[in-house]
Amino acid sequence: MTILRQTVGEVLRAQAAKHPDTEAYVYPEHGIRKTYKEFDAETDDLAKAFMGIGIEKGEHVAIWSDNKREWLLSQYATGKMGGVLVTVNTNYQAAELEYLLKQSDATTLVLGEEFKGTNYIDVLNEVVPELASAEKGSIASSKLPHLKRVIVMSENSYPGIYTWSEFAAFADWMTDTQLEERFNSMDPDDVINIQYTSGTTGFPKGVMLTHVNVVNNGRLVGDYMRLTEKDRLCIPVPLFHCFGCVLGTLAAVTHSTTMVLIEQFDPKKVLQMVQDEKCTGLHGVPTMFIAELNHPEYDTFDTSTLRTGIMAGSPCPIEVMKKVIDDMGASEITIAYGLTESSPVITQTSADDPIEKRVATVGKPHPDVEVKIIDPATGEQVKQGTPGELCTRGYLVMKGYYKNEEATRQAIDRDGWLHSGDIAVEDEDGYIAVTGRIKDMVIRGGENIYPREVEEFLYQHPAVQDVQVIGVPDEKYGEELMAWIILKDGQQLTAEELKGYCKGKISHHKIPKYVEFTDAYPMTASGKIQKFKLREQSVELSGKI
């Protein structure tokens, strides 16, 4: 494959020229439908507004909201005028927002009004009390010296903040010629996006991604899904995460595919959209697919138009994958694996892969992507079939962490290999299975246990809807296993019954010593289960058992 040397804006313009009348995006909740020709024109206007309000090439624009239309338009508008989009986690509270805006040197914040009970305007005023008396566009914050302007995705008026239409009117300050000059001045190797990692250890780090990184990754992901202008992809995953804005919008735009968007995930709304919009693709993390499949009204929806999609974000339970293929009808659904630092996808299963490979592995490396598996202790490459740390090299590797050279050196070695921190094993056919994080591996009495293997076994129990397995300290063995179980509606199960189910079927040392039942797991806003929080709860509980 040839690496595309195009900017995000060039990709959108090219697709709009090829398929002007194909629907680019649909927001069924709001009755909004726009073609590629209209989408291209809208984002040209918005690019001029970003320029008119004073944003220079390379300037950092933070965006904080759920999957609103303004988020989507801002992604492509900044891609046309060279602003760097800094994506903000929707779950952030005041301290996290302050940290991100300060560390990223954001000069501009575009935000929604609220998310799941959190009033974003109130949170912002807590961080920037100067807003109350600030002139719009001339904020002077003691905590955030770079922040100059705030734009709200609404027509409600707030002190110091531009309404959306006030912001959009700045387009009139710029000519088409000025936009073209800016558009043509961009280099595909320019950083276009800074995404902050979840921060499960220490403070979140800003991953710098270029046009080349995200355009090519999105295109390859779409190729693996066999997307065309006839496809309609439902995107319920957050846009602030790579899953939403690369595997979602860029995979779609590079193939003139229609995006069917939902502002906030709701399993019933997703099923309704798939049915009403005749979606051929559906994205989700495993917990989303589990919620859809287990919705009490699931059987009343027609998902027969589904063909493809991606399950990613965390390890995909084999039983769930089978149901998505057999019950939902997404016969060509693929598994993708990667990390934000690799734009994000490193490996992916293809539509042609046998079901066994699609449910038990994360596929093979993408074209133009190198992968090796090393012994974390020695750095030496391991033999096929031996677990080790997965490393990758190629166009997909980030530019680095923003203003954090030390962390960049720890992640990318001198030879350009990005170290994932994940344990992986390659089979005799070249397919890769990811068995967990290096730090998640449990060592019980000298035996290495990969929680994923135990989870996959426990998923097969008919009463189990979801399961997470972690290690807790143990005086005798060093570590023991604890299983956190979510039961299916109406099902009952005791810890002893679950252990009895395991006996004689998996090795004795892999049977969890502790079993806890729960209704939900601690999650990130992008749908990843926060195992470190589960581990904290487990350590506390196991000490009392």
Side-chain angles (χ1 to χ4, degrees), residues 45 48-49 52-53 165-175 178:
D45 284 343
K48 286 196 283 187
I53 210 167
S165 61
E166 283 172 344
F167 161 55
F170 278 95
D172 296 338
W173 294 33
M174 290 286 132
T175 64
Q178 287 169 304

Side-chain angles (χ1 to χ4, degrees), residues 93 133 283 308 326 333 353 363 504:
Q93 299 296 318
S133 57
H283 281 355
T308 186
D326 297 336
I333 193 158
D353 283 335

Side-chain angles (χ1 to χ4, degrees), residues 487-519:
L487 293 175
K488 291 179 179 169
D489 284 348
Q491 295 288 334
Q492 290 184 317
L493 187 67
T494 66
E496 289 312 309
E497 285 167 347
L498 188 73
K499 291 177 188 180
Y501 173 78
C502 296
K503 280 180 184 157
K505 294 179 187 157
I506 57 172
S507 302
H508 170 72
H509 67 278
K510 294 178 184 172
I511 298 175
K513 180 177 181 179
Y514 308 105
V515 178
E516 284 291 319
F517 296 93
T518 185
D519 295 327

Side-chain angles (χ1 to χ4, degrees), residues 60 99 103-105 191 193-201 203-210 213 339-343 389 397-413 417-421 437:
H60 294 180
Y99 169 80
Q103 206 279 332
S104 69
D105 298 326
V191 172
N193 187 203
I194 297 179
Q195 303 223 3
Y196 278 78
T197 55
S198 302
T200 52
T201 53
F203 286 106
K205 297 184 285 286
V207 176
M208 296 187 287
L209 299 176
T210 66
N213 286 152
L339 38 152
T340 307
E341 289 87 340
S342 58
S343 312
E389 183 184 17
V397 175
M398 65 173 176
K399 269 265 174 99
Y401 295 116
Y402 185 65
K403 292 198 311 189
N404 197 336
E405 286 182 20
E406 187 188 341
T408 302
R409 277 196 299 273
Q410 287 172 2
I412 304 168
D413 66 27
W417 290 97
L418 172 69
H419 291 245
S420 70
R437 297 287 292 165

Side-chain angles (χ1 to χ4, degrees), residues 5 14 32 46-47 58 118 149 170 241 243 281 321 349 368 386 404 429 433 453 475 488 529 531 540 545:
R5 302 279 310 159
I32 297 168
L46 203 62
T118 297
R149 50 190 93 78
F170 278 95
H241 189 271
F243 198 168
M321 187 72 171
T349 58
D368 288 301
T386 306
N404 197 336
D429 299 317
E453 181 188 351
E475 279 186 21
K488 291 179 179 169
I529 293 160
K531 276 205 167 181
E540 197 179 319
I545 295 170

